[in-house]
Amino acid sequence: MEKIAYFDCPTGIAGNMCLGAILAAGMPLDNLLDQLKRLGLEDEYEFTVTQVRRQEQAATAVTISLNSDAVRGHRHLPEIENLIRQAHLPTRVVDWSLAIFRELAAAEAAVHGIPAEQVHFHEVGATDALIDVVGTCLGLEWLGVDRVVCSPLPIGGGTVRAAHGRLPVPAPAVLELLRRAQAPIYSNGIDKELVTPTGAAIATTLSDAFGPPPAMTLNQVGLGAGSHDLPIPNILRLWIGTGAQPRTTDHGAHKSAHSHDQSTDPQPTDHPHAEHQQSAPEHGHQQTIPGYCEAIVELQTQLDDLTPQAIGYLYDGLFKAGALDVFTQAIGMKKNRPGILLTVICAEADAAACQSLLFSETTTLGIRSHGQQRQTLYRSWQSITTDYGPVQVKAGLATPNGPVVNLQPEYETCAQLARQHSIGWKQVQWAAIAAAQSIYQDEYRAAEWDHTPTHLTR
């Protein structure tokens, strides 16, 4: 059966948290340290494992203490690649580790506007990042993992000290990694660095998908502790289970483009997710769900004493406050009174503003709140020329690069053109869809569309 690893990241992800979770899931410490010695860096660091409590929950903490006399402060990508290739590690560990550092190099290169090969990694290229990345890959290999899925990631807040001074959180490289992977993010209200560059690179490179836990039989749980105490337990939870799919014999096939053979190395800017989305069914993995998963909040309140005019006024205010959708349903309430159930869908960051508006503009005395996740297609807009005039058409995409799943012309434009030509609006709509289909046909053509993804939109 297929072995699945699920990274549950309520307080983010960092390299040391991954190592702690892997050890807690069962990998022997001696096994991990023996294989890490093959990197030839054992004089540069000390590997410490302790059992700690985070908000009264026991977890495994890993600390990599650097030897300032022996450690190398800066390393470039080619040097890191050579260290990994020459360590005689398992093939999948080499492939995964190279892919992670290439993703990190591509993100840093985009931030600084230089080629990836010229990036010197500062903190994330130093010894501790190598141990974090290679150690995590060794652990996933030892656990026999075939597929990795990750939860949506909390972005944190505030600032963090780095080699270039204080940086906003999430750090620029983290933000770029999350953008490249189209990873769903949200705020949990904690203003700390929750996702480190190393953690972001591990999650975005190795994960086949982001979202809720996949269907599996849970076998092991490893709890890796973060470095700080937070309002909620600062723990990365690694779930290991077996899925319904048979185990593939081509382990890590979706990362095969990142071969450790120099002749087949891809450019650092190639993102591994795009290839996997096309090849996953061929390698026996579960079919990728179109779109991306994002965290939302559902707010609900029941009203039986509010004038209908106020509802229309409230709709406008809620949308301005950031609501993604607002709707009402007729219900029967106590004392046989007819009433309405008012529902608001919004991002977690906008929930407080929407709740304040509900209290100030309605007669409610209480609001129910439910955190949820939704699967959403990527959005793209294109102006389509028809016999009646230009029409804006919204396309729903399975991935940022297609293919197109749904097409919908903008209603207001269709209605305006229909009035101008004294025809039915559906006639304009059909003409717009026909014109759009002739552009994309069966495949999405990135050059012809503005395919900037729009997260958390209605």
Side-chain angles (χ1 to χ4, degrees), residues 309-326:
Q309 292 95 328
I311 299 296
Y313 180 83
L314 178 64
Y315 269 47
D316 293 337
L318 286 168
F319 285 128
K320 288 180 181 178
L324 305 173
D325 202 1
V326 183

Side-chain angles (χ1 to χ4, degrees), residues 378-446:
Y378 297 93
R379 319 291 175 84
S380 177
W381 288 90
Q382 165 88 4
S383 181
I384 299 296
T385 301
T386 70
D387 292 339
Y388 310 105
V391 177
Q392 285 288 321
V393 176
K394 179 169 61 176
L397 312 175
T399 77
N401 297 319
V404 172
V405 178
N406 288 322
L407 276 177
Q408 186 61 50
E410 184 188 31
Y411 165 77
E412 296 295 344
T413 306
C414 293
Q416 182 180 358
L417 292 175
R419 295 187 191 101
Q420 290 177 4
H421 294 275
S422 300
I423 58 176
W425 78 269
K426 285 199 298 185
Q427 191 170 338
V428 180
Q429 182 194 44
W430 293 342
I433 292 176
Q437 286 176 333
S438 67
I439 290 180
Y440 76 85
Q441 295 179 351
D442 295 330
E443 293 293 331
Y444 176 75
R445 300 177 184 177

